[in-house]
């Protein structure tokens, strides 16, 4: 029973682990500038990933890739003293995920199902539709970030990163709800198409 209760006790902290580093980046950027904000983002992201592992005893692939990207692009920003690197991180990572999902589908595989299939069960058509939505989300995020960092001031871009990209992700999350409702397999349903 204690194994079943551990995830439940870690759930309230999940939003804090996911959005805490981003909020610290936002606040620190305005208090001390982009370079100090970037350093805080790197450290907070590593701590959040470590706490996630401590709570769940596993690190999901997407947060692990995100953490590696923050460390890589954040370090390049700090070493070169060029904010370009932290600004293009969302473009590069989002484009990589969109392309990865697309290539997987072209090869007859579904990377999203491989990543999330142990957490939720859906019919194959649902996984395909969900993958298209996620591809659109990542492509939109990459394009939007590319436009934003080129057209906005640094502070404007930080606002966009924290609120605009988060809002865009929430919009696409809402689009997935009907797919989940239509294609999710309940425990009582036939398990042949999972």
């Amino acid at each position: 029973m204690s194994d079943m209760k551990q995830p439940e006790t870690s759930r309230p902290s999940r939003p804090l682990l996911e959005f805490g580093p981003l909020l610290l980046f936002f606040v620190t950027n305005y208090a001390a500038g982009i370079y100090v904000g970037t350093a805080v983002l790197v450290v907070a992201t590593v701590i959040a990933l470590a706490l996630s592992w401590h709570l769940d005893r596993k690190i999901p692939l997407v947060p692990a890739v995100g953490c590696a990207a923050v460390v890589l692009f954040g370090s390049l920003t700090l070493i070169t003293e060029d904010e370009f690197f932290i600004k293009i991180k969302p473009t590069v990572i989002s484009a990589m995920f969109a392309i990865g999902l697309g290539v997987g589908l072209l090869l007859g595989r579904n990377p999203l199902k491989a990543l999330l299939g142990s957490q939720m069960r859906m019919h194959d058509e649902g996984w395909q539709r969900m993958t298209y939505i996620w591809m659109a989300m990542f492509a939109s995020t990459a394009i939007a970030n590319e436009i934003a960092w080129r057209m906005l001031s640094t502070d404007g871009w930080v606002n966009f990163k924290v609120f605009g990209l988060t809002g865009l992700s929430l919009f696409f999350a809402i689009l997935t709800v009907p797919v989940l409702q239509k294609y999710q397999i309940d425990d009582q349903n036939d398990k042949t198409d999972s």
Side-chain angles (χ1 to χ4, degrees):
M1 291 298 281
S2 63
D3 289 347
M4 296 171 107
K5 292 182 180 180
Q6 184 183 5
E8 290 176 16
T9 59
S10 67
R11 282 187 187 143
S13 62
R14 188 70 49 221
L16 182 62
L17 291 177
E18 292 176 7
F19 296 107
L22 194 57
L23 292 175
L24 286 172
F25 173 64
F26 174 75
V27 170
T28 307
N29 174 70
Y30 283 102
I34 189 73
Y35 298 112
V36 176
T38 298
V40 167
L41 177 64
V42 169
V43 171
T45 302
V46 170
I47 291 171
L49 194 65
L51 286 173
S52 180
W53 178 84
H54 176 72
L55 292 171
D56 298 333
R57 293 294 182 219
K58 64 180 179 178
I59 298 175
L61 180 63
V62 173
V65 170
C67 181
V70 166
V71 171
L72 173 65
F73 287 93
S75 297
L76 287 171
T77 297
L78 297 172
I79 290 167
T80 63
E81 295 183 5
D82 187 350
E83 59 195 48
F84 164 78
F85 293 104
I86 198 66
K87 288 180 176 180
I88 65 161
K89 186 213 55 105
T91 300
V92 172
I93 298 305
S94 295
M96 281 177 38
F97 279 128
I99 292 167
L101 290 172
V103 168
L105 288 179
L106 286 174
L107 295 175
R109 305 278 187 234
N110 192 314
L112 193 60
K113 182 179 179 181
L115 287 172
L116 300 177
S118 65
Q119 297 170 13
M120 69 176 85
R121 295 178 49 246
M122 282 194 298
H123 296 282
D124 287 338
E125 186 179 349
W127 281 113
Q128 188 169 14
R129 289 177 186 235
M130 185 78 77
T131 300
Y132 287 134
I133 292 170
W134 279 44
M135 284 171 52
M137 177 189 68
F138 286 125
S140 298
T141 299
I143 292 166
N145 186 70
E146 194 62 19
I147 293 168
W149 80 260
R150 292 174 184 271
M151 298 187 71
L152 300 174
S153 68
T154 296
D155 286 345
W157 174 79
V158 170
N159 283 333
F160 170 77
K161 177 173 173 41
V162 173
F163 300 108
L165 292 182
T166 301
L168 192 60
S169 296
L170 289 174
F171 169 75
F172 279 99
I174 291 168
L175 292 180
T176 66
V177 171
V179 175
L180 286 170
Q181 290 174 339
K182 184 173 182 179
Y183 295 102
Q184 191 166 15
I185 300 171
D186 295 329
D187 290 333
Q188 294 83 17
N189 290 348
D190 184 16
K191 299 178 181 181
T192 59
D193 197 21
S194 61

